[in-house]
Short mmCIF file of all heavy atoms in Angstrom, two decimals:
data_model
loop_
_atom_site.label_atom_id
_atom_site.label_comp_id
_atom_site.label_asym_id
_atom_site.label_seq_id
_atom_site.Cartn_x
_atom_site.Cartn_y
_atom_site.Cartn_z
N SER A 958 44.90 27.08 -35.14
CA SER A 958 44.53 26.42 -33.93
C SER A 958 44.11 25.00 -34.18
O SER A 958 44.40 24.07 -33.48
CB SER A 958 43.48 27.14 -33.16
OG SER A 958 42.27 27.26 -33.95
N VAL A 973 50.90 7.20 -26.83
CA VAL A 973 50.23 6.19 -26.21
C VAL A 973 50.46 4.85 -26.91
O VAL A 973 50.65 3.85 -26.27
CB VAL A 973 48.58 6.45 -26.17
CG1 VAL A 973 47.86 5.25 -25.79
CG2 VAL A 973 48.29 7.62 -25.22
N CYS A 983 50.34 -4.23 -27.71
CA CYS A 983 50.04 -4.23 -29.14
C CYS A 983 51.24 -4.17 -29.99
O CYS A 983 52.37 -4.10 -29.42
CB CYS A 983 49.10 -2.99 -29.37
SG CYS A 983 49.96 -1.46 -29.35
N PRO A 1061 57.71 -6.75 2.75
CA PRO A 1061 59.00 -6.74 2.15
C PRO A 1061 59.78 -5.61 2.80
O PRO A 1061 59.27 -4.65 3.15
CB PRO A 1061 58.70 -6.55 0.76
CG PRO A 1061 57.23 -6.64 0.48
CD PRO A 1061 56.54 -6.68 1.86
N ASP A 1068 53.89 5.18 0.61
CA ASP A 1068 53.56 4.67 -0.76
C ASP A 1068 52.17 3.98 -0.71
O ASP A 1068 51.94 3.12 0.14
CB ASP A 1068 54.61 3.60 -1.21
CG ASP A 1068 54.43 3.04 -2.58
OD1 ASP A 1068 53.31 3.32 -3.21
OD2 ASP A 1068 55.33 2.46 -3.20
N ILE A 1108 45.67 -11.81 -13.60
CA ILE A 1108 46.93 -12.44 -13.27
C ILE A 1108 46.93 -13.86 -13.58
O ILE A 1108 47.78 -14.43 -14.17
CB ILE A 1108 47.20 -12.28 -11.64
CG1 ILE A 1108 47.44 -10.82 -11.39
CG2 ILE A 1108 48.35 -13.16 -11.19
CD1 ILE A 1108 47.56 -10.51 -9.85
N GLN A 1129 40.20 -16.71 -3.40
CA GLN A 1129 39.55 -17.15 -2.31
C GLN A 1129 39.74 -16.42 -1.03
O GLN A 1129 38.83 -16.13 -0.29
CB GLN A 1129 39.78 -18.71 -2.11
CG GLN A 1129 39.57 -19.63 -3.27
CD GLN A 1129 40.17 -20.99 -3.13
OE1 GLN A 1129 40.70 -21.40 -1.96
NE2 GLN A 1129 40.07 -21.80 -4.15
N GLY A 1134 38.24 -13.44 3.41
CA GLY A 1134 39.06 -12.65 4.53
C GLY A 1134 39.79 -13.68 5.43
O GLY A 1134 39.66 -13.59 6.60
N LEU A 1172 27.20 -29.37 8.39
CA LEU A 1172 25.89 -29.67 7.91
C LEU A 1172 25.31 -30.95 8.37
O LEU A 1172 24.10 -31.15 8.55
CB LEU A 1172 25.87 -29.59 6.33
CG LEU A 1172 25.76 -28.12 5.78
CD1 LEU A 1172 26.04 -28.15 4.22
CD2 LEU A 1172 24.39 -27.50 6.02
N VAL A 1178 23.73 -31.87 18.54
CA VAL A 1178 25.17 -31.92 18.56
C VAL A 1178 25.83 -30.61 17.99
O VAL A 1178 26.78 -29.98 18.67
CB VAL A 1178 25.79 -33.09 17.82
CG1 VAL A 1178 27.29 -33.04 17.78
CG2 VAL A 1178 25.28 -34.44 18.41
N GLU A 1188 19.87 -15.95 16.14
CA GLU A 1188 20.11 -15.01 15.06
C GLU A 1188 21.48 -15.28 14.40
O GLU A 1188 21.65 -15.26 13.24
CB GLU A 1188 19.94 -13.55 15.43
CG GLU A 1188 21.09 -13.09 16.48
CD GLU A 1188 20.57 -13.19 17.88
OE1 GLU A 1188 19.65 -13.96 18.15
OE2 GLU A 1188 21.16 -12.52 18.76
N VAL A 1193 24.87 -18.75 10.21
CA VAL A 1193 25.57 -20.01 10.04
C VAL A 1193 24.89 -20.93 9.00
O VAL A 1193 25.49 -21.43 8.01
CB VAL A 1193 25.83 -20.83 11.24
CG1 VAL A 1193 26.29 -22.19 11.02
CG2 VAL A 1193 26.71 -20.09 12.26
N PHE A 1207 34.45 -36.44 -15.66
CA PHE A 1207 35.16 -36.12 -16.81
C PHE A 1207 35.41 -37.33 -17.64
O PHE A 1207 35.40 -38.46 -17.14
CB PHE A 1207 36.52 -35.37 -16.48
CG PHE A 1207 37.51 -36.35 -15.73
CD1 PHE A 1207 38.40 -37.08 -16.37
CD2 PHE A 1207 37.41 -36.52 -14.35
CE1 PHE A 1207 39.26 -37.91 -15.79
CE2 PHE A 1207 38.29 -37.28 -13.69
CZ PHE A 1207 39.21 -38.08 -14.38
N LYS A 1226 31.94 -32.37 -16.92
CA LYS A 1226 30.62 -31.92 -16.56
C LYS A 1226 30.53 -31.54 -15.01
O LYS A 1226 31.06 -32.29 -14.33
CB LYS A 1226 29.64 -33.08 -16.89
CG LYS A 1226 28.19 -32.73 -16.48
CD LYS A 1226 27.29 -33.80 -16.69
CE LYS A 1226 25.79 -33.46 -16.33
NZ LYS A 1226 24.76 -34.49 -16.42
N GLU A 1297 56.78 -36.47 -26.49
CA GLU A 1297 57.34 -37.79 -26.31
C GLU A 1297 56.29 -38.87 -25.98
O GLU A 1297 55.64 -38.67 -25.05
CB GLU A 1297 58.42 -37.75 -25.09
CG GLU A 1297 59.68 -36.90 -25.43
CD GLU A 1297 60.56 -37.47 -26.45
OE1 GLU A 1297 60.65 -38.67 -26.37
OE2 GLU A 1297 61.13 -36.71 -27.38
N ASP A 1300 53.58 -42.96 -20.85
CA ASP A 1300 52.45 -42.77 -19.94
C ASP A 1300 52.66 -41.53 -19.13
O ASP A 1300 53.76 -41.33 -18.60
CB ASP A 1300 52.35 -44.04 -19.06
CG ASP A 1300 52.04 -45.36 -19.74
OD1 ASP A 1300 51.41 -45.18 -20.93
OD2 ASP A 1300 52.46 -46.45 -19.36
N THR A 1304 46.82 -34.00 -14.08
CA THR A 1304 45.86 -33.68 -12.97
C THR A 1304 44.65 -32.81 -13.33
O THR A 1304 45.12 -31.72 -14.01
CB THR A 1304 46.58 -33.17 -11.61
OG1 THR A 1304 47.59 -33.99 -11.31
CG2 THR A 1304 45.47 -32.99 -10.50
N CYS A 1307 39.37 -28.54 -10.21
CA CYS A 1307 38.15 -27.65 -10.10
C CYS A 1307 38.44 -26.73 -8.98
O CYS A 1307 38.38 -26.99 -7.88
CB CYS A 1307 37.00 -28.41 -9.94
SG CYS A 1307 35.48 -27.44 -9.88
N ASP A 1331 56.16 -39.81 -37.04
CA ASP A 1331 57.33 -40.46 -36.61
C ASP A 1331 57.44 -41.84 -37.28
O ASP A 1331 58.60 -42.30 -37.52
CB ASP A 1331 57.25 -40.62 -35.09
CG ASP A 1331 57.25 -39.28 -34.39
OD1 ASP A 1331 57.66 -38.26 -34.97
OD2 ASP A 1331 56.71 -39.13 -33.22
N GLY A 1343 57.38 -36.74 -44.04
CA GLY A 1343 56.51 -37.62 -43.24
C GLY A 1343 55.14 -37.37 -43.47
O GLY A 1343 54.39 -36.87 -42.60
#
Side-chain angles (χ1 to χ4, degrees):
S958 60
V973 170
C983 73
D1068 185 345
I1108 294 175
Q1129 300 168 6
L1172 277 170
V1178 175
E1188 64 271 16
V1193 171
F1207 66 92
K1226 182 182 180 183
E1297 292 294 323
D1300 294 331
T1304 306
C1307 177
D1331 296 337

